[in-house]
Amino acid sequence: MGIEGNYILPSQNLELVEGWGMSSDAVAYVFRPSTLQGIRDVFEIARTSGRSIAFRGAGRSYGDAALNSENVVLDLTRFSRILDWNPDTGIIRVESGVTIRQLWEYILPDGWWPPVVPGTMFPTLGGCASMNIHGKNNFRVGPIGDHITEFEILLPTGELRRCSRQENPDLFYAAIGGFGMLGCFITLTIRMKKVYSGLMEVEPINTPSLDAMIRIFEERMERADYLVGWIDGVASGKNLGRGVIHEANYLKPGDDPNPAQTLRLDYQQLPDTILGLLPKSILWRFMRPFVNNAGVRFVNLAKFLSSRILDRGGKKFRQSHAAFAFLLDYVPNWKRSYGVGGLIQYQSFIPEAHAAGAFKEQLTLAQRAGFPPYLAVFKRHRRDDFLMTHGVDGYSLALDFRITKKNRRAIWALAAKLDQVVLNAGGRFYFAKDSTLSAPSVKQYLGESAVRKFRKLKEACDPDGILETNLYRRLFQSPEAADAEPVEHAR
Amino acid sequence: MSLPWKHAIVVGASSGIGEALARRLAKDGCRVAMVARRKDSLDRLADELNSAAGSTIAFTAAHDVANRGEVPFLFQELAKELGGLDAIFYAAGVMPTVAVDEYNTEKDAMMMEVNTIGAMAWLNQAAVRFERTKRGTIVGISSIAGDRGRRGSPAYGTSKAALNAFLESLRNRLARFGVKVVTIKPGFIDTEMTQGLPGLFWLISADRAAELIIAAARAGRNVAYIPGRWRIVGMVVRAIPSFLFRRLSI
C-alpha cells in the first residue's frame, strides 16, 4: 500500500450510521452540506480521498440503502429550503433535504396535501424520489415520481442537469427510483393535491381472511382514495391473512363545516401522550415485553377481535390527514421495542392474479419457520413507468421480522425462500425496504434489459463509479457479494 | 468458536505473537490487515491465509512504526480495505540485547519508539474511531517486564510500563463509550525476541499465546497475564520491597 499523495479524511466526520431497522449499520465519513457548493465540495473530497459517496436523507430506508462502509456519506438533511410555492397551482419547488413533514406543514394551511406520502413524515423528498416511494393510495395515484414534474440532479461529472418528462426523459425515469446511484437530487418540483378539509373520512372493515381482504380491495379500489390492510401475521389455518382494512377518502367541498379550523397545523399534530397522561416517547418500553411470538399473538388477537366488535356495520369516522397518513409516527421510536438487533421489513409486490396464493405461501413459510411477522401491512398498487420500479398491478405485503444475534441467519434463509415465491409469481421488490436480496434475484425481477439500461446510464452519469452504497455493492457489483452471508456487526 | 470481531488490524504481524494473532483471527473468519516492516514476510503470510480462506481476507501494509506520520492515512486505508474495523492488536515490539553495564540512548530511544510511541500512534487512531462509533476492542501486547524496573533492560521495562499506563488511561477514557481496552502481559513466549535468552521457563508457543490473548480480549479482560500463572509471579514481583528488589538479579 502506498502512502504518497495521501488524503486523510477528518476523523470528526466519522460516524456510525444505521439503517432505520437497526439491523445493519456502517462506519462512514458523514458530511452535511447545506449548499450546492458544499455538495460539490463533498464530491471533491470523495474523489481526492479515493472514496465512494452514498447519499442519505433522513435515513429511513430499513436496510443498507443509505449506508456506505468506510466511505463517504453525503447527508442532505441540512439542504432543506423550500424554494418556491404557488398556492394557486399547487406546484412546489424544494431542495432535496426537505422532509415530508416540512412539506405538508407548509402547504396544508393553503388547502393542499402531498399527493403521495409514506407511513412516516420524516423522510426527505430526495430520499422519497430516490426510492420512488408509494403511499396507501398507490393504486389510485401511483408513486411520488408520478407527481414530480421536474428535478435538477448533480452528476458526479459535476454537471447540474435538469430533467423532466420532456427534458432528459431517460434520466428522469431512471433517477426517480434509481436509489441515488445516478446523481444527487438538488431540487425537486412536485405537484400537490388540493384538499378541502384537514380531515379524511375513514372506514375500518374487518376481514376474516386474505381472500376476503383482496375481494374488498378489488371492490373498493375504483372509488376509494386510500386503502390499507393490517394483517394478523400470526393467525393460521382458516384465519390465515385475517385483518382489518382502512379505507379513507378526502372530503369534498362543503363536507367539512369548518375547514379553516381543520386545515390548521395544530389540528393535525399527533398527540404527545396517551390518554393525556403517558408520554408516547416512553411507550416503546411498554411494548417491548410483547415483541415476541406469544406477545404478538395476544396483541394481534385483541386487535382483531376488538375490530370485529367495534367496526361492525360500516361505522365511519373522521381523522386528520396526519393521523391517518403517518401511522408509523404514532409511537416514537417504536422500533426500539424490537431490541438491539432491530428489525427488517420484507416487502414484496405480486401481480394481482397470483397475490393471494403467493402471500398465503409467504405467511405459511414464515410461521412454519417459527418467525411469524410481527407486523404485516397489505396494499394495492399499480404499474408505473420508472426504470427500476417496484410497482405492479397487484398487491404488496410488508412483513416485519425481529432480528436477533441468534435468528439472523435463519431469517436470511427464510427471506431467500420468500424471494423464490415472489420470483415464481412474477413479483418485484423495493430497495427502500431491502436487507436480504441477492444479485441474481434482482436481475431476475428487474429483467436483464432494465439492468443493462440502468448500468449504461450509470456509466454515462457516473463514469468513475463514485456513487455506491452497501446495497449497491451487495446487489449490483460483484457476484461474490451477491452470494455473501449477511454481515453481522460486532455490538 | 466464532469471533466477536469481523475486521481487525494487527500491527507487528510479520513474526512472533503478531503473526500468530493474524493467523488465528483469519482462521476464525476475521478479515485481517497486517502491518509490519518486512513486506516479504507479510505478503507470504497473506497469500497463505487467503488461499486457506479461498477469498481475500488478509491485507498487508509495509510500515515502520517509528514513522508515525504515516499512521493516520494507513489506518484509514486499512479500515477501508477491511470494510470496517472492530479490533486492533498492537504487537510490534523490540528488545535488543543490552549489557548490564550498557547505557545506550539510541537503543533506549528505539525501544520507546517501537514499543510505546508506535503503540500510541496506532492506538490513538483506534481510540478516536472507537469513541466516535461507540464500539471496538483495543489490545496492547505489553509485558510482565513493565511491572517493575529491573536491572536487565531499563528501557524495555520502561517502554512496557509506559504502555501499561497508556492502555489503562485509554481504558478509563473509553469504557464509557463501550470500548474495551485490554492490556496483555505475556511471560516467556517462544519467539524471535526470546531466542537465545538465558533462564527461560514456562515457555509457550506464540500460537498458544495468541489463543490466550484472543480469549482474554473476547472476555473483555482489563489486564491479562499470558499464560495466567504469570499473574502470581507479577503479584509477587510487585510486592517485593524496593530495598530487596534491587538485590535480586532479575
Side-chain angles (χ1 to χ4, degrees), chain A residues 1 9 12 14 50 70, chain B residues 4 76 80-81 129 132 135:
Chain A
M1 176 182 296
L9 286 154
Q12 68 267 22
L14 200 65
E70 302 303 322
Chain B
Q76 286 190 356
K80 184 184 164 200
E81 283 202 36
R129 180 189 169 99
R132 291 195 65 82
R135 60 168 64 156

Side-chain angles (χ1 to χ4, degrees), chain B residues 94-100 102 104 107 110-111 152-153 193 195-197:
Chain B
V94 288
M95 188 175 69
T97 308
V98 177
V100 75
E102 184 182 1
N104 185 324
K107 281 187 183 176
M110 180 180 68
M111 282 186 270
S153 180
M193 193 185 271
Q195 299 264 309
L197 286 183

Side-chain angles (χ1 to χ4, degrees), chain A residues 206-226:
Chain A
N206 190 274
T207 52
S209 66
L210 187 62
D211 290 323
M213 187 173 278
I214 290 178
R215 196 171 56 248
I216 291 170
F217 265 85
E218 293 298 307
E219 282 167 16
R220 298 191 175 219
M221 61 181 275
E222 287 302 318
R223 59 178 168 84
D225 289 319
Y226 293 85

Side-chain angles (χ1 to χ4, degrees), chain A residues 1-3 6-9 11-16 25 27 29 49-51 69-71 480 488-491, chain B residues 4-6 39 55 60-62 70 72-74 76-81 83-86 128-129 132-133 135:
Chain A
M1 176 182 296
I3 54 167
N6 52 40
Y7 178 90
I8 299 165
L9 286 154
S11 57
Q12 68 267 22
N13 290 77
L14 200 65
E15 289 182 24
L16 180 67
D25 56 34
V27 174
Y29 296 89
S49 62
R51 310 267 164 163
S69 297
E70 302 303 322
N71 286 281
E480 187 188 21
E488 287 176 53
H489 299 277
R491 276 190 185 273
Chain B
W5 320 290
K6 297 287 173 194
K39 175 122 178 72
S55 62
T60 64
E70 294 177 0
F73 176 72
L74 270 183
Q76 286 190 356
E77 284 300 292
L78 291 174
K80 184 184 164 200
E81 283 202 36
L85 184 66
D86 307 312
V128 169
R129 180 189 169 99
R132 291 195 65 82
T133 59
R135 60 168 64 156

Side-chain angles (χ1 to χ4, degrees), chain A residues 222-271:
Chain A
E222 287 302 318
R223 59 178 168 84
D225 289 319
Y226 293 85
L227 285 168
V228 61
W230 165 79
I231 284 177
D232 177 358
V234 182
S236 56
K238 65 179 173 44
N239 295 321
L240 187 74
R242 71 182 178 186
V244 183
I245 296 173
H246 281 87
E247 175 185 332
N249 291 290
Y250 296 113
L251 299 187
K252 294 179 186 64
D255 284 354
D256 181 354
N258 197 352
Q261 185 188 28
T262 60
L263 288 168
R264 275 173 26 195
L265 291 188
D266 55 0
Y267 203 84
Q268 297 286 324
Q269 298 303 342
L270 304 179

